Amino acid sequence: MYNSLPDTLIIGKKVIYLPTCHSTNDIAAEIVHAGLFSEGTIVITDDQLSGRGQRGTKWVANPGENLTFSIILAPQFLEIDNQFLISQTIALGIRSYVASYLAETQVKWPNDIQVNGKKICGILIENSIQGANLKSSIVGIGLNVNQLSFENSFATSLSTETEEAFVLSDEFQKLARHIDAYYLRLRSRKQDKELRDEYLNNLYGYSNDVKFSYQERIYSGRVSAVSKQGKLSVRLSTGEEIADLGLKEIVWIKS
Ligand code: BTN
């Protein structure tokens, strides 16, 4: 059971709790299409039956052990050209929450959250546009909390990493507070550069060489830049740069 959050300004002022549902992003989309929502509304479930991930993948999480929810935002202040800032801001908010337990937490481009090379949280953001600006943004978050075993050997959870058990509703509140603080920074529009810099500084492969595959070859190098539009540039260990990569063009090689 999850209640509306008392100590945030925007995120989770209204919380819709569904014991089970197909996908919280889909429910949130229905609410947006109905046109009646207040910004920051959260749809959260204990048991998501058809969770969706990035690139058409499925998001599977053991019922009652994790946080699976979607936040409805109305970032009408943000131009389409700046929409990647939503991804960066949300990823940073979640990273700072996870880092309160596990300092070495990183963002993996574009917006996975990882600890010790393993994914602890996935984010699926679905934007709608009106004119030159964003209209709504559905931010789906799957955070692994108490789950201890995963089919994917590159997944982890807060419990696995800390060897503690967590009260989900407490962690939901804490996480929402971190996201709220970052979203307020974005809304001010005065911290775009700081948010972009903070994102880069917390990015996997920015401060150290990593391996990735590109056009069926394996390379070693590090992230050199992320453009306003969210495209990735990498500098190979040979010194050459590959610029403006999109989501489907590069695959990180896990080590
Ligand atoms: C990813 O592939 O990394 C993104 C996973 C996003 C999963 C979350 S769980 C809550 C929300 N509802 C969905 O159907 N997906 C997102």
Side-chain angles (χ1 to χ4, degrees):
M1 183 66 195
Y2 298 90
N3 297 311
S4 299
L5 304 177
D7 53 1
T8 53
L9 281 178
I10 297 173
I11 308 299
K13 299 316 292 177
K14 179 170 182 190
V15 174
I16 300 168
Y17 165 65
L18 304 169
T20 183
C21 77
H22 43 101
S23 154
T24 57
N25 264 40
D26 291 348
I27 305 273
E30 286 166 21
I31 294 170
V32 169
H33 288 137
L36 284 175
F37 67 89
S38 49
E39 178 166 44
T41 296
I42 291 181
V43 180
I44 185 163
T45 188
D46 280 330
D47 187 8
Q48 184 169 248
L49 305 174
S50 305
R52 293 190 289 109
Q54 290 168 22
R55 308 185 210 203
T57 57
K58 289 189 175 143
W59 184 260
V60 181
N62 286 356
E65 297 184 2
N66 303 297
L67 288 174
T68 44
F69 64 98
S70 302
I71 311 170
I72 302 174
L73 298 176
Q76 287 141 9
F77 56 86
L78 208 57
E79 308 76 25
I80 294 170
D81 206 34
N82 279 318
Q83 64 183 295
F84 191 63
L85 268 171
I86 293 275
S87 276
Q88 293 173 300
T89 302
I90 298 296
L92 285 173
I94 300 171
R95 194 214 72 89
S96 82
Y97 159 78
V98 178
S100 69
Y101 294 110
L102 299 157
E104 64 282 17
T105 308
Q106 289 184 307
V107 180
K108 192 176 200 178
W109 179 85
N111 57 13
D112 285 352
I113 309 298
Q114 68 167 25
V115 178
N116 297 326
K118 293 189 172 188
K119 181 161 168 174
I120 196 163
C121 180
I123 307 170
L124 178 66
I125 299 184
E126 297 177 302
N127 292 330
S128 76
I129 281 159
Q130 188 166 48
N133 283 32
L134 292 190
K135 186 178 176 205
S136 67
S137 194
I138 295 169
V139 176
I141 297 171
L143 174 75
N144 299 330
V145 182
N146 287 323
Q147 187 168 332
L148 290 175
S149 66
F150 296 90
E151 275 182 23
N152 181 340
S153 59
F154 286 102
T156 192
S157 65
L158 281 180
S159 265
T160 308
E161 299 297 323
T162 61
E163 299 184 352
E164 281 174 42
F166 293 86
V167 176
L168 287 176
S169 55
D170 291 349
E171 298 316 306
F172 174 60
Q173 285 210 22
K174 286 184 204 162
L175 172 56
R177 270 187 235 129
H178 282 261
I179 297 173
D180 197 59
Y182 274 85
Y183 189 60
L184 289 171
R185 287 176 60 189
L186 177 65
R187 283 223 332 184
S188 77
R189 293 315 305 275
K190 291 187 180 144
Q191 296 202 25
D192 292 6
K193 184 181 179 317
E194 286 80 357
L195 289 166
R196 289 192 172 106
D197 288 350
E198 191 174 331
Y199 176 84
L200 259 187
N201 285 321
N202 285 289
L203 204 56
Y204 166 78
Y206 182 65
S207 310
N208 56 308
D209 280 7
V210 291
K211 284 206 170 72
F212 57 91
S213 83
Y214 168 68
Q215 294 185 341
E216 294 175 13
R217 287 186 59 190
I218 294 186
Y219 295 93
S220 170
R222 62 181 68 184
V223 172
S224 51
V226 175
S227 73
K228 235 171 124 179
Q229 292 74 23
K231 293 284 181 80
L232 185 81
S233 296
V234 286
R235 183 165 302 284
L236 306 184
S237 36
T238 55
E240 189 192 335
E241 182 160 72
I242 308 176
D244 288 333
L245 294 166
L247 191 56
K248 292 184 179 148
E249 291 177 88
I250 174 170
V251 178
W252 302 109
I253 310 276
K254 291 163 175 153
S255 51

